[in-house]
Amino acid sequence: MVVIRGVLLTHRAFGSAVLTASLIWGAACGGARISDASVGDASIEAIAGDAGLVSDAQLDADAEAKDASVSVLSTVALQSFIYAQPSPDAAKIGYLRVGATLSRSTEKVDGVGCVGGWYSVAPKGFVCVGREGVTLDMNEQAIVIAQSGPPKRSEALPYAYGTSWGAPFYVRLPTRDDIRDVEGNVSVKTESLARLRRKLSERKRWPEPSLPDNGPPTVLANGGMLENLAGFKLNRQALVGAKSWPGMRVSFLGTFAHEGRAYFITTEHMIVPVDRMRIAKLAEFHGIELAEAGKEGVHLPIVWPAWKPARLWQMSSGKRGAHITEHELVVQESAEISDVEIVLGNEKYYELLHPPADAEDGARYLVRAKQVSRAFRVMELPQGVTENDEWIDVSIQRQVLTYYRGKEPVFTTLVSTGVDGAQNSETTKSTVRGLFRIKMKHISARMKAEEQPAAEGSDKPDPRYRIDDVPYVQFFERSYALHGAFWHDAFGQPKSHGCINLSPRDALYLFEHTRPRVPEMWHGVAATNDEQGTFVYIHAD
């Protein structure tokens, strides 16, 4: 335990402080064993819960919002609610994030419970100036810093990300003496990490930082201090806001150099050394857009090897058997197959529609069914879903997600559901099953949980975790969500605490196609009567 310029630090200091200060925008993902840490979390329960399904009248944001092309507002907070009516008791229909520039009405509108005045905003809703960080002053320090690295809504990763090796989070520029006091011999640590990186395969090696160097925020000049957004109450001489733990995943706005060392600025407006972070690598895997029936393109059924490469078999003449070949489908490589299953002996096979490029003319190639995950067209809609509905189908057993319009498949991919498979989601890390609607969408949201006791039959506790700005999060039932996962690429295998992990590219695709839509400059939106959420149907088989 040490004290550095007025900040008490322990191994757990950063986690415990942030979990207390940032409950407004963080949540655990999944079922009962971990959700106790986050039930009632404001970012999910207060928005989606309070909003519910509001009436059309509540969503009338007034014609003034349409004339708001000149007047704008923003917020200095990580989350500022947008209300259905100009009242703090009205339903919360979405929220802004620090740095967003949102068109507003030129004049205040009539409302209650707001000293700074209510304004209607585009495309709907109302915000209260002075409440939850909302401001008309676009020169606020927090806004200027946030606008140096706004979320990239058209990219698979809205921010840059990294995994901490135990980095400190500075709130002012450290001197070389400060670094020695806080971090010890940095060169020994960085050289060790560099050796480790060189030893890794190309697939596992983390990339170099690629963010632009925007220079340090001007407030840091002459020993100035950043106002962090984590809610830490620091004295004016503080150097360090907190200390991360190894494995904590952090998001960044940009980079800059200072005295020969590179630093990130985090989305909570603190400074972290680049050389104490393992940069996230974007997974190469992504799903497949499907062609309409009868049109050229890719069609269901499709298979992928999810665990290990799958060797191909060639049908023998006379359909009496098959022999194994040197050809294979690599992990996560897709292949279109015939609708007809082939049984040889006691084994079930699927026939590839497109044999390998060097196959003999007329040769028929098979893959063993037990070695692949299969996506196929549903014949019946889930009860409650109509031909006019868009919906998402998720198979826990096959680890396959398919997005439909009625009975027409539009997109399919591999996912990672709860690590405990199709067990009881209330007592294990299994994904909840049933028919749901998307309730709340976030461009990004924190997910976290404290250490949990070991599960029955295990002597290992469930370690704590924190992942800042998980990309493209879509909550559909309590703390269960569809979201991007940049920390693994094992899609097709159960991996999560209960949520449905998608490759970041796939998470973006679904986020842009599902409802409710997130308006421009909003960071999150709740489903309403006017725009109900897309159906999500999750089943075991």
Side-chain angles (χ1 to χ4, degrees), residues 185-225:
N185 191 333
V186 171
S187 62
V188 171
K189 297 174 182 177
T190 56
E191 288 169 7
S192 175
L193 293 176
R195 286 194 300 271
L196 171 62
R197 185 176 182 275
R198 288 194 295 269
K199 290 179 181 178
L200 295 175
S201 66
E202 181 64 28
R203 180 176 174 273
K204 294 184 177 181
R205 187 179 304 142
W206 63 90
E208 296 289 349
S210 59
L211 286 175
D213 186 338
N214 296 323
T218 55
V219 68
L220 294 175
N222 301 317
M225 176 180 172

Side-chain angles (χ1 to χ4, degrees), residues 8 129 138 500:
L8 180 67
V129 169
M138 303 302 290
I500 299 169

Side-chain angles (χ1 to χ4, degrees), residues 139-467:
N139 294 315
E140 290 271 10
Q141 177 198 127
I143 294 173
V144 173
I145 292 173
Q147 289 178 343
S148 69
K152 303 175 182 67
R153 286 191 57 170
S154 62
E155 298 185 15
L157 295 177
Y159 296 101
Y161 298 87
T163 302
S164 174
W165 298 106
F169 285 70
Y170 295 105
V171 292
R172 65 176 77 246
L173 294 174
T175 65
R176 288 185 172 87
D177 288 341
D178 290 333
I179 293 170
R180 189 179 306 109
D181 291 342
V182 175
E183 301 180 60
N185 191 333
V186 171
S187 62
V188 171
K189 297 174 182 177
T190 56
E191 288 169 7
S192 175
L193 293 176
R195 286 194 300 271
L196 171 62
R197 185 176 182 275
R198 288 194 295 269
K199 290 179 181 178
L200 295 175
S201 66
E202 181 64 28
R203 180 176 174 273
K204 294 184 177 181
R205 187 179 304 142
W206 63 90
E208 296 289 349
S210 59
L211 286 175
D213 186 338
N214 296 323
T218 55
V219 68
L220 294 175
N222 301 317
M225 176 180 172
L226 283 176
E227 296 293 339
N228 73 87
L229 302 183
F232 298 139
K233 304 300 181 183
L234 308 175
N235 66 48
R236 300 310 301 177
Q237 289 73 46
L239 170 67
V240 177
K243 188 176 187 295
S244 65
W245 66 79
M248 179 188 292
R249 296 182 171 93
V250 186
S251 52
F252 312 117
L253 300 175
T255 59
F256 66 89
H258 173 65
E259 294 188 349
R261 196 182 193 193
Y263 294 88
F264 287 120
I265 298 180
T266 74
T267 53
E268 286 189 329
H269 297 189
M270 291 184 282
I271 306 164
V272 60
V274 169
D275 54 33
R276 302 296 300 279
M277 285 282 164
R278 184 175 73 245
I279 311 306
K281 186 174 183 178
L282 179 63
E284 295 181 4
F285 174 76
H286 59 84
I288 302 165
E289 288 194 72
L290 302 169
E292 293 182 27
K295 294 187 177 181
E296 184 177 349
V298 180
H299 300 86
L300 298 182
I302 289 171
V303 294
W304 301 266
W307 297 85
K308 61 182 181 180
R311 294 281 289 275
L312 298 184
W313 296 68
Q314 185 176 343
M315 285 281 289
S316 301
S317 59
K319 299 184 181 179
R320 294 181 179 178
H323 60 274
I324 196 166
T325 72
E326 294 301 315
H327 296 290
E328 66 180 17
L329 294 176
V330 301
V331 173
Q332 297 177 341
E333 177 186 6
S334 65
E336 289 181 86
I337 60 171
S338 167
D339 287 315
V340 179
E341 299 175 356
I342 296 174
V343 178
L344 299 174
N346 294 322
E347 288 284 352
K348 183 167 69 174
Y349 296 82
Y350 303 127
E351 181 176 359
L352 274 62
L353 293 185
H354 308 291
D358 59 350
E360 301 173 9
D361 289 343
R364 300 170 62 188
Y365 282 80
L366 313 176
V367 62
R368 276 182 169 171
K370 66 184 180 183
Q371 292 185 297
V372 293
S373 295
R374 182 172 65 122
F376 54 88
R377 181 190 293 263
V378 299
M379 304 307 294
E380 299 293 335
L381 295 172
Q383 186 173 359
V385 178
T386 74
E387 291 279 4
N388 297 320
D389 288 321
E390 299 176 354
W391 61 287
I392 294 169
D393 180 87
V394 179
S395 165
I396 292 175
Q397 179 181 339
R398 292 178 283 117
Q399 295 291 289
V400 169
L401 176 151
T402 305
Y403 169 61
Y404 285 88
R405 294 191 183 104
K407 290 185 179 179
E408 187 66 33
V410 177
F411 177 84
T412 191
T413 191
L414 294 173
V415 297
S416 293
T417 64
V419 70
D420 288 330
Q423 299 184 57
N424 185 341
S425 62
E426 296 298 320
T427 57
T428 70
K429 287 185 280 189
S430 298
T431 300
V432 64
R433 285 169 286 173
L435 180 66
F436 311 97
R437 280 189 183 270
I438 292 171
K439 297 178 179 178
M440 183 74 200
K441 291 173 65 171
H442 304 253
I443 292 172
S444 65
R446 171 178 294 163
M447 292 186 174
K448 59 180 174 51
E450 286 292 79
E451 182 176 283
Q452 300 294 304
E456 186 176 349
S458 173
D459 58 357
K460 293 183 179 180
D462 198 11
R464 62 177 172 163
Y465 69 88
R466 181 183 125 171
I467 309 169

Side-chain angles (χ1 to χ4, degrees), residues 13 16 26 54 66 82 115-116 126 153 196 216 282 363 422 443 511:
S16 57
V54 300
K66 297 179 181 179
I82 300 168
V115 175
F126 300 85
R153 286 191 57 170
L196 171 62
L282 179 63
I443 292 172
F511 195 85

Side-chain angles (χ1 to χ4, degrees), residues 16-191:
S16 57
V18 171
L19 288 172
T20 301
S22 300
L23 280 175
I24 195 167
W25 71 294
C29 183
R33 291 200 66 243
I34 62 171
S35 62
D36 290 348
S38 61
V39 168
D41 178 88
S43 68
I44 304 165
E45 304 297 340
I47 300 179
D50 288 359
L53 296 177
V54 300
S55 68
D56 293 352
Q58 283 181 296
L59 290 177
D60 180 11
D62 196 81
E64 290 180 82
K66 297 179 181 179
D67 299 324
S69 57
V70 176
S71 300
V72 296
L73 53 73
S74 188
T75 177
V76 298
L78 286 170
Q79 189 177 69
S80 299
F81 293 124
I82 300 168
Y83 295 83
Q85 292 292 323
S87 166
D89 296 326
K92 302 177 180 75
I93 60 174
Y95 69 96
L96 306 179
R97 194 172 198 184
V98 59
T101 302
L102 189 62
S103 297
R104 63 169 173 86
S105 56
T106 304
E107 303 296 333
K108 298 176 184 178
V109 300
D110 293 337
V112 297
C114 178
V115 175
W118 289 96
Y119 290 84
S120 58
V121 295
K124 59 187 178 183
F126 300 85
V127 298
C128 171
V129 169
R131 184 184 180 92
E132 298 153 356
V134 176
T135 179
L136 303 183
D137 183 0
M138 303 302 290
N139 294 315
E140 290 271 10
Q141 177 198 127
I143 294 173
V144 173
I145 292 173
Q147 289 178 343
S148 69
K152 303 175 182 67
R153 286 191 57 170
S154 62
E155 298 185 15
L157 295 177
Y159 296 101
Y161 298 87
T163 302
S164 174
W165 298 106
F169 285 70
Y170 295 105
V171 292
R172 65 176 77 246
L173 294 174
T175 65
R176 288 185 172 87
D177 288 341
D178 290 333
I179 293 170
R180 189 179 306 109
D181 291 342
V182 175
E183 301 180 60
N185 191 333
V186 171
S187 62
V188 171
K189 297 174 182 177
T190 56
E191 288 169 7

